[in-house]
Amino acid sequence: MIGVLPGTVAVYADLACPWAHVAVHRLWRIRAELGLVEAVRFDHRAVLLEVVNRGTLPKPVIDAEIPVAAEMEPDAGWRPWAEPDWRWPVSRLLAAEAVQAAKEQGPTASEALDRALRRAFFADSACITMRHVVLDVAGSVPEVDAGALGEALDTGRARAATLAHVADFAPGGAVTSPHLFTADGGSWPNPGVDYRWAGAPGDSAVVLKSDDPSVYRRILIVAADSARG
C-alpha cells in the first residue's frame, strides 16, 4: 500500500506526461477554488517511465496526446514542440530529482518547482533533461532557492529517494501517470479520464471517451478531511 501523510495528495507523475500536466493543473486550480491551499499539500513522486520501460517517452505518443489534453485544460500552458527534435528531453531523471531535492526547502518549494518544470516543457519547449535548464526554471520560481537546489543536485542527495519511487510503480501501487493517492487508501489512476488510441499508440489519434474533473474536488476534500481527523 502506498503511504501518504494526512492532509496530503501523493502525486505519481512523469514530468513529460500530458495527462499528468492536466492533473497537476487541476489540483492547483481546484485546491484554490475550495480554499484548501493551506490545508492540503501535494507530495510529488517520480514516475520514471524511462527507468520502468528502459527508454524515453516516444515523441509521437506525446505529440498525439497533447491536443486532446490541451482541450481539457487549455490554461495549463501548451505549445507544440518548437525546438529541433534533437533537443527533445530524452530523460526527466534530473528534473524529477530536482523536485525531490526541493523538498529540503519545504513542500511549497517542491510543489511550485514541479509545476514550473511541467509548464517549461509543455508551454516553452524547454529541454528539462539539462542541468542548466532545470536550474534556470528553479531560478524563476520565487519559492525555490536555486543555489541551494543546485548544491543538492550536485551532491546527489535526492537521487536515491527519486529512484526509490520506481519500486512503487507496480501492481498494487502506482500503475500509470498520473496516479493520485490519499491517506485513507484512496487511489485514483488518471482521475476522471478514460481514453483510447484509435490504432497503434503514436501512430494514430487519441480518442477521449470521458472526462470528469469533479473527481478532483472529492480527492482534495478527502485529503483535507484526513488532516482534520
Side-chain angles (χ1 to χ4, degrees), residues 4-53:
V4 185
L5 291 174
T8 301
V9 179
V11 183
Y12 285 82
D14 192 291
L15 282 162
C17 171
W19 312 109
H21 191 37
V22 167
V24 170
H25 182 76
R26 286 177 171 175
L27 284 169
W28 278 73
R29 174 171 57 80
I30 296 173
R31 180 176 65 173
E33 290 172 0
L34 293 173
L36 295 176
V37 173
E38 300 301 323
V40 177
R41 298 266 63 88
F42 305 143
D43 180 4
H44 289 284
R45 304 180 185 183
V47 170
L48 295 169
L49 294 178
E50 65 197 69
V51 177
V52 174
N53 296 334

Side-chain angles (χ1 to χ4, degrees), residues 13 15 44-48 50 91-105 109-110 113-114 117 128-129 131 134-135 148-165:
L15 282 162
H44 289 284
R45 304 180 185 183
V47 170
L48 295 169
E50 65 197 69
S91 172
R92 277 85 54 212
L93 175 56
L94 185 68
E97 185 178 347
V99 173
Q100 299 308 305
K103 291 178 180 179
E104 294 180 356
Q105 302 178 33
S110 181
L113 180 59
D114 176 274
L117 286 166
I128 58 173
T129 295
R131 175 186 181 277
V134 171
L135 293 179
L149 182 71
E151 189 270 338
L153 288 178
D154 292 346
T155 57
R157 291 199 298 271
R159 176 60 61 91
T162 305
L163 290 173
H165 295 154

Side-chain angles (χ1 to χ4, degrees), residues 166-188:
V166 173
D168 295 334
F169 200 72
V175 299
T176 191
S177 172
H179 197 152
L180 277 52
F181 296 87
T182 46
D184 66 329
S187 169
W188 291 272

